[in-house]
Amino acid sequence: MQSVTRVAMATAGLMLAHLWAAKAVRSAVFLSAWDARNLPAMTFATAIAVVATVPLWSKLLERFEPRRVVPVGFLISAAAHVVEWRLSASTPWVAVLVYMHIAGLGALLLSGFWSLVSEIFDPQGARASYGRIAAAGTVGGLLGGVAVERMSTMAPADSALLLLAGLHVTAALGVASLGRTLPPSTRLAEASRPAFELNIFNASPHLKTIALLVSLSTASAFVAEYLFQAGGQAAYGTRAERQQFFARFYVAVGIATSLAQTLTGRLVHRFGLGRTISTLPGGLGLTSGIALVFRVFPMFVLMRGVESVLRGSLFRSAYELLFVPMDPDEKRRTKTFLDVTCDRAGDAVGALLVESILIVAATTGLQTFSEQILLAITIIMAVGGLWLSRRLDRLYLGVVERHLSKRAEEDPLVVPSETGWTLIAVRPTTLEPLQQPPDAPTKTSRTVVAAMPLKRDEDPRLRSLAELRSGDRHRVEAALARLTKPDRMQVAQVITLLAWDDMAQPARMVLEKHAGANIGLLIDALVDPDSDFAVRRRVPRILGTVGSPRAIEGLLWGLDDTRFEVRYQCARAIDRLLRTHEQLRVDPDTILRLVDRELSVSPQVWKGHRLIDGVERDDDPGGIEAAAGAAARNLEHVFRLLGAIWPRDAVHVALRGLQSTDAGLWGLAVEYLNSRLPEGTRMKLWALVERPVAASSSGEAPSRSGPPRSTTPPSGSR
């Protein structure tokens, strides 16, 4: 995958070189043929044209896939630049075409490129490779801006259009090369390609939030753009001067963006996607407030510059990662809509706001207050963007959970299961116990019963108790068969029979029938360290048949045992109770603390966890044992605990993903765990878990997975 990453880097460099150079050319061409007062109308018309084109573009992506459509789009764009050069962009109607071409088709191609890239990399591969792609794009953008700035002083202004055509021709070759790396399986079956429908937002609330956030941020960006370009038109008189100024501006923006990108990976890793995205509305709102106090052109340059830098680095980096966990068909249906339709809709809203304010100001004679009103509106929209961005972390986690749950519908890994009671040599594992609850039971009533003198001729129950204690297999079996309403003494004696391998199964059957009335005795036997180890590891299965909060409480106490198998069986019993009794709950903080303790062992101890008793698949058909396998009981135990507080299907698939050679499933599992687990617990998990040998989508050699690197995803700017 290293070669794929290099191709993506080169293509991103060409694409961003075109983007930044084209923005300078677009602004200079339009402002030389039209007054800045016409900018809102031009933007609104472009937005309408692009929104009308999006359904066709989406259908083309769904029908022929991005790897075929996007290269053709780049070639068409290059041909259009040549036509514009031949017609002379100085003509007013050609200037309109140049503006619509760059702002409209450029946005479609940008979205199509990142759709293709997101299908190539899994979540962890994206985090590892997007940083290099972003850096290459930034370098390309800087070179494109410098090239246009130099051409403005050394060649006719229209010659920049030929440069743009050449960049898109080479970008088409790069995208075509990237498309050939996708396996044929990524192509959707004809019957399974759904057309884009707005009701997808009802099933995916995260898309609603993203759509609103994109529209709101773009609307506020247009206000900043208008103030910036109006000031630039007033400050520079000729097209060459304006083109040079705008080119220098975007070069400065590119340098600042590259510096900001060095922080992006750490910020995304530390603060999450939502807070990283919130830097855009936060930064724009802050600079708008400053510009409201000092209304001079340099402040508008600062406001537009901060918005462009944050959008091209922190915002775009986190925004693109929102789409990586999605299935290809969902991305193809929605990403273009969000990237282009919502973006252009935001432009249209911003244009209408600016136009309305200008009209009202002109009719009321309050032109001097139009800038203050526009800046105030920008601040209000920035506050709305901050509110929306705070919801994204939770919604993104929901996306990962949903797609992990979808993978649960696939056939699980099939592994042989142990049957019966199998004895193997095992070394006990000692852990530091959690603090014992003050009201936890201590000594068992079984001890008292064992000390009582037996007078078998005086009471039939005492005779039954004597039979149970006889040590003769046939007499014990007969006594167990006659127990219909055992008293507490008899129950206590039956509990001790769990330590006798031959009698464990019939004793368990008796106890399960009467467990509800004897929870206290069972919990006493479980948590008493003096109880036989065999009793402690077999009692949890019995408690797992009693659907009461008290049984859950006792099993949680059992998770404090020093022996791994006791803790393992307690976790199985809790899982069974939560699956069969939905009203039962466990405390998430307690579970996370237990998980952290399970992971706080050396790799030698971790790998030494084994079971003496076999597991019973009937307890959880097709469940987490199928995902873990007999050789991974330690992971199974940890993930079973997590399944008590997180969506069970997602947890099961995440466990399967950690052991899968499928790079996409592995990356999705790691992304889910990174989003869910506390940092300290996460670090302990990666220190113990080894990645299966497989081709790494990030281009790195397969190895033990330390904490996956958080690097800067690709940048792009409006």
Side-chain angles (χ1 to χ4, degrees), residues 2 123-129 132 265 269 666 670-671 674 698-700 706-712:
Q2 289 282 9
Q124 293 308 306
R127 287 180 184 259
S129 298
R132 285 173 280 175
H269 178 70
W666 182 88
V670 171
E671 185 75 5
N674 280 344
S698 64
E700 299 173 350
R709 294 184 300 165
S710 292
T711 51
T712 308

Side-chain angles (χ1 to χ4, degrees), residues 415-444:
V415 295
S417 61
E418 303 104 325
T419 57
W421 303 97
T422 304
L423 296 179
I424 62 174
V426 63
R427 181 180 63 183
T429 300
T430 303
L431 293 176
E432 290 296 326
L434 297 176
Q435 185 176 0
Q436 188 78 351
D439 56 344
T442 53
K443 295 296 181 180
T444 67

Side-chain angles (χ1 to χ4, degrees), residues 28-289:
V29 166
F30 185 80
L31 294 177
S32 297
W34 301 87
D35 189 89
R37 177 68 178 73
N38 297 302
L39 186 60
M42 183 71 257
T43 302
F44 186 81
T46 302
I48 296 299
V50 173
V51 169
T53 308
V54 165
L56 174 62
W57 179 257
S58 297
K59 283 186 177 294
L60 289 173
L61 291 179
E62 294 163 11
R63 177 67 179 84
F64 300 106
E65 301 183 303
R67 57 180 168 179
R68 295 181 176 88
V69 176
V70 178
V72 175
F74 276 110
L75 293 176
I76 292 174
S77 176
H81 281 313
V82 174
V83 172
E84 292 157 0
W85 169 73
R86 291 286 297 172
L87 294 175
S88 179
S90 299
T91 307
W93 68 270
V94 177
V96 170
L97 292 179
V98 171
Y99 190 98
M100 297 185 73
H101 170 197
I102 293 174
L105 183 57
L108 293 171
L109 295 174
L110 181 69
S111 176
F113 172 80
W114 293 128
S115 293
L116 176 63
V117 171
S118 66
E119 291 182 18
I120 295 174
F121 296 99
D122 63 81
Q124 293 308 306
R127 287 180 184 259
S129 298
Y130 275 22
R132 285 173 280 175
I133 299 173
T138 301
V139 172
L142 289 172
L143 294 176
V146 170
V148 168
E149 193 274 336
R150 290 292 85 200
M151 291 182 71
S152 299
T153 61
M154 301 170 58
D158 282 350
S159 60
L161 293 169
L162 292 178
L163 171 66
L164 299 182
L167 290 171
H168 263 188
V169 168
T170 49
L173 297 176
V175 173
S177 178
L178 281 176
R180 287 194 293 270
T181 65
L182 284 172
S185 59
T186 60
R187 178 167 182 165
L188 300 176
E190 184 70 27
S192 67
R193 289 195 190 104
F196 175 79
E197 298 176 353
L198 287 177
N199 62 12
I200 191 175
F201 289 101
N202 296 327
S204 304
H206 69 286
L207 296 179
K208 289 182 181 179
T209 302
I210 296 173
L212 288 173
L213 182 63
V214 169
S215 300
L216 200 59
S217 65
T218 308
S220 58
F222 176 80
V223 178
E225 173 81 2
Y226 170 77
L227 294 172
F228 167 67
Q229 295 210 24
Q233 186 180 47
Y236 300 94
T238 66
R239 174 180 169 183
E241 290 175 343
R242 290 168 186 155
Q243 190 161 294
Q244 190 175 35
F245 164 72
F246 288 124
R248 289 174 178 174
F249 170 79
Y250 287 115
V251 168
V253 166
I255 295 173
T257 300
S258 64
L259 294 176
Q261 284 172 344
T262 62
L263 303 174
T264 300
R266 291 191 292 272
L267 287 178
V268 172
H269 178 70
R270 181 173 181 179
F271 298 112
L273 300 182
R275 291 185 180 179
T276 305
I277 285 175
S278 69
T279 57
L280 175 61
L284 183 57
L286 177 62
T287 53
S288 297

Side-chain angles (χ1 to χ4, degrees), residues 223-531:
V223 178
E225 173 81 2
Y226 170 77
L227 294 172
F228 167 67
Q229 295 210 24
Q233 186 180 47
Y236 300 94
T238 66
R239 174 180 169 183
E241 290 175 343
R242 290 168 186 155
Q243 190 161 294
Q244 190 175 35
F245 164 72
F246 288 124
R248 289 174 178 174
F249 170 79
Y250 287 115
V251 168
V253 166
I255 295 173
T257 300
S258 64
L259 294 176
Q261 284 172 344
T262 62
L263 303 174
T264 300
R266 291 191 292 272
L267 287 178
V268 172
H269 178 70
R270 181 173 181 179
F271 298 112
L273 300 182
R275 291 185 180 179
T276 305
I277 285 175
S278 69
T279 57
L280 175 61
L284 183 57
L286 177 62
T287 53
S288 297
I290 298 174
L292 187 60
V293 178
F294 306 100
R295 295 190 314 279
V296 292
F297 177 59
M299 292 309 306
F300 297 148
V301 174
L302 175 64
M303 183 172 67
R304 178 59 175 151
V306 168
E307 191 277 335
S308 298
V309 169
L310 293 175
R311 181 179 294 274
S313 57
L314 302 181
F315 177 86
R316 178 59 61 177
S317 300
Y319 172 79
E320 290 296 337
L321 286 174
L322 293 173
F323 297 94
V324 175
M326 295 184 184
D327 291 330
D329 61 335
E330 184 177 6
K331 274 185 280 198
R332 293 170 190 174
R333 282 186 294 161
T334 60
K335 196 172 190 303
T336 300
F337 180 85
L338 293 168
D339 284 354
V340 182
T341 303
C342 294
D343 193 68
R344 295 288 85 85
D347 273 340
V349 171
L352 285 175
L353 285 172
V354 172
E355 187 70 20
S356 300
I357 296 301
L358 294 178
I359 291 174
V360 171
T363 56
T364 58
L366 299 176
Q367 292 92 333
T368 56
F369 295 99
S370 59
E371 290 181 352
Q372 294 97 310
I373 297 173
L374 290 173
L375 290 169
I377 291 174
T378 304
I379 294 172
I380 293 172
M381 289 190 290
V383 172
L386 285 170
W387 179 78
L388 289 171
S389 61
R390 291 185 65 86
R391 304 178 58 198
L392 285 177
D393 283 325
R394 177 175 53 84
L395 294 172
Y396 174 74
L397 182 59
V399 175
V400 177
E401 284 182 350
R402 181 159 57 88
H403 287 280
L404 277 174
S405 298
K406 284 184 179 179
R407 300 296 291 265
E409 299 172 3
E410 303 174 2
D411 294 335
L413 301 178
V414 178
V415 295
S417 61
E418 303 104 325
T419 57
W421 303 97
T422 304
L423 296 179
I424 62 174
V426 63
R427 181 180 63 183
T429 300
T430 303
L431 293 176
E432 290 296 326
L434 297 176
Q435 185 176 0
Q436 188 78 351
D439 56 344
T442 53
K443 295 296 181 180
T444 67
S445 56
R446 173 184 53 80
T447 305
V448 178
V449 173
M452 293 179 60
L454 301 180
K455 299 180 180 180
R456 64 185 67 184
D457 295 332
E458 298 178 0
D459 191 329
R461 295 187 178 184
L462 292 180
R463 288 197 298 270
S464 173
L465 188 62
E467 295 295 304
L468 293 172
R469 293 172 52 84
S470 66
D472 182 286
R473 175 173 180 172
H474 297 292
R475 292 171 61 186
V476 172
E477 285 181 338
L480 288 173
R482 290 192 297 268
L483 284 178
T484 56
K485 295 182 179 181
D487 59 18
R488 295 177 65 83
M489 290 187 299
Q490 292 169 326
V491 169
Q493 183 57 45
V494 174
I495 290 174
T496 65
L497 293 176
L498 293 173
W500 185 358
D501 290 345
D502 291 340
M503 290 293 101
Q505 184 64 18
R508 173 186 161 193
M509 294 176 62
V510 171
L511 292 172
E512 285 182 353
K513 293 179 182 179
H514 307 282
N518 297 277
I519 293 180
L521 288 174
L522 291 167
I523 293 176
D524 286 348
L526 172 63
V527 302
D528 185 1
D530 294 333
S531 293

Side-chain angles (χ1 to χ4, degrees), residues 453-633:
L454 301 180
K455 299 180 180 180
R456 64 185 67 184
D457 295 332
E458 298 178 0
D459 191 329
R461 295 187 178 184
L462 292 180
R463 288 197 298 270
S464 173
L465 188 62
E467 295 295 304
L468 293 172
R469 293 172 52 84
S470 66
D472 182 286
R473 175 173 180 172
H474 297 292
R475 292 171 61 186
V476 172
E477 285 181 338
L480 288 173
R482 290 192 297 268
L483 284 178
T484 56
K485 295 182 179 181
D487 59 18
R488 295 177 65 83
M489 290 187 299
Q490 292 169 326
V491 169
Q493 183 57 45
V494 174
I495 290 174
T496 65
L497 293 176
L498 293 173
W500 185 358
D501 290 345
D502 291 340
M503 290 293 101
Q505 184 64 18
R508 173 186 161 193
M509 294 176 62
V510 171
L511 292 172
E512 285 182 353
K513 293 179 182 179
H514 307 282
N518 297 277
I519 293 180
L521 288 174
L522 291 167
I523 293 176
D524 286 348
L526 172 63
V527 302
D528 185 1
D530 294 333
S531 293
D532 191 284
F533 170 48
V535 173
R536 301 204 314 274
R537 70 175 185 259
R538 292 168 181 172
V539 163
R541 301 185 185 192
I542 302 168
L543 288 173
T545 64
V546 184
S548 74
R550 192 178 177 194
I552 290 284
E553 184 181 25
L555 290 167
L556 288 173
W557 290 338
L559 288 169
D560 188 38
D561 201 279
T562 58
R563 300 295 290 266
F564 170 73
E565 187 164 357
V566 176
R567 304 193 303 273
Y568 173 87
Q569 295 293 354
C570 286
R572 284 177 58 88
I574 291 173
D575 179 61
R576 179 180 181 182
L577 287 175
L578 295 178
R579 282 188 287 110
T580 56
H581 300 82
E582 295 182 356
Q583 77 279 7
L584 296 178
R585 296 288 185 273
V586 294
D587 177 48
D589 291 338
T590 299
I591 294 297
L592 288 175
R593 188 168 67 252
L594 290 165
V595 167
D596 186 81
R597 189 193 65 177
E598 292 290 343
L599 298 172
S600 301
V601 296
S602 67
Q604 293 77 16
V605 172
W606 173 260
K607 294 177 181 179
H609 290 325
R610 295 292 185 273
L611 300 182
I612 295 178
D613 291 342
V615 297
E616 295 183 359
R617 285 289 185 84
D618 293 341
D619 285 351
D620 187 15
I624 202 164
E625 284 93 353
R633 296 304 178 196

